[in-house]
Amino acid sequence: MAKIAMKTPLVEMDGDEMTRVLWVWVKDKLLLPYVDLKTEYFDLGMKHRDDTDDQVTMDAAEANKRLGVSVKCATITPNEERVREYTLKKQWKSPNGTIRAALDGTVFRKPILVPNITPSVASWKKPIIVGRHAYGDVYKNAEIRVPGPGKGELVFTGADGKVERVVIQEFKGAGILQGIHNTDKSIRSFAKACFNYALDQKLDMWFATKDTISKTYDQTFKLLFEDEFTAYADRFKAAGIEYFYTLIDDVVARIVKGEGGMLWACKNYDGDVMSDMVASAFGSLAMMTSVLVSPDGIFEYEAAHGTVQKHYYKHLKGEKTSSNSMALIFAWTGALRKRGELDGLPELAAFADRLEAASLKTITDGVMTGDLARLANPPARQVVGSEEFLDAIAERLRS
Ligand code: NAP
Ligand code: MG
């Protein structure tokens, strides 16, 4: 059988630890037998980032802008321990942070649902998709550890020299100060990315901030979303979906009681926290897909989980692991499907559908890794190791 051809290469960003091990197996067992895979390869493994002074991450982000679609493995964000473990030159920044800043996008995280894994929240019937603004706020902040009494101020100096000054706090003793920002441009593209996603997937869209307390910062998010929505209102009506704005605490209460089935647009920090809550309540971090969409139509597909360090250390000792590669597989299928759509290659998109179906069938057949076996109802028929799980998918993909 001839392999499926590709036109434009994908940007392939390799990563670290257990996910790096799984990456090779996913390619060898599930992709290379069927697809004449074209990629521009970037090694974002910890060692190579250090060797290149992190230039490789910047190069990968640039390639992503040039070629449009990338697929990324999980990578270590170094802390003190990692600096010692890998004898790094310094504590390099998070590669995800670098790529998000370069693409100024919105991250959409969607759980992968299977009937034999029931969500922890009994009322959830449909996926909850979290759309996370991936720019600014506390992720690009300036902070001061206030040593003692004094005045904390917020100062803005306009390009015309005009100064605006607000007192934050008169400190009587030690404390902390933080300055955060966002831009109209980024907030508007966040709004557009979410409205487009909701229309594309025919989903209601919910958005929330704390505008009653933050009367300028959060209120601006609310107002800019309202303004952007005017261009979408007719299309939303025609699609039978709605845009719903409320307060962040109200939305949390509603989400937990509802049945799901909406896009939940979240500010950067809300999205960081809530996407992990939603992922673990739907089952496992490994059952969550993640795509970064930039305002100019650039896509980065990744797994939402980390490098599964504990499993990797077991793997290195020759012990059996049971790591779930679903999120990595869905990162590849997401990227291949998008490439297929953009390049007019329906057979490539159809292959992505088939691979996803084979992966889901494996789990619904009762063959699963340990993380899912803990939650399965009815119980798993067969709890398999990391590599066996991929073999079980490969078998179903063949037939
Ligand atoms: P993690 O890799 O997500 O793993 C945390 C725990 O979640 C694992 O120990 C495992 O639980 C479970 N788990 C996660 N993915 C799994 C999978 N595919 N299959 C089965 N179980 C899975 O987070 P971490 O251990 O806190 O972080 C490890 C490294 O990942 C860190 O260096 C961090 O910087 C990096 N990280 C990268 C990304 C990214 O690149 N997107 C995101 C987050 C973290 P059990 O041990 O109970 O089996
Ligand atoms: Mg998080």
Side-chain angles (χ1 to χ4, degrees), residues 45 51 68 89 104 122 137 155 185 197 206 222-223 247 266 275 287-288 306 317 324 327 354 384 388-389 394 396:
D51 287 345
K89 293 176 201 156
D104 176 18
D137 297 354
V155 182
K185 183 164 173 271
Y197 188 97
W206 293 12
K222 178 187 173 183
L223 295 177
L247 288 169
C266 288
S275 63
M287 298 294 280
M288 187 67 129
K317 283 194 262 169
N324 184 342
R354 273 208 314 283
V384 288
E388 287 168 275
F389 181 61
R396 284 163 181 80

Side-chain angles (χ1 to χ4, degrees), residues 375-389:
L375 311 161
N377 179 25
R381 269 197 316 113
Q382 205 187 340
V383 185
V384 288
S386 312
E387 194 172 3
E388 287 168 275
F389 181 61

Side-chain angles (χ1 to χ4, degrees), residues 122-143:
S123 61
W124 288 0
K125 304 276 183 284
K126 300 179 210 162
I128 294 165
I129 295 116
V130 173
R132 172 182 170 189
H133 187 203
Y135 179 83
D137 297 354
V138 71
Y139 301 87
K140 207 170 183 314
N141 66 359
E143 303 183 321

Side-chain angles (χ1 to χ4, degrees), residues 109 132 139 271-276 304:
R109 293 205 159 159
R132 172 182 170 189
Y139 301 87
D272 184 353
V273 178
M274 292 305 163
S275 63
D276 281 10

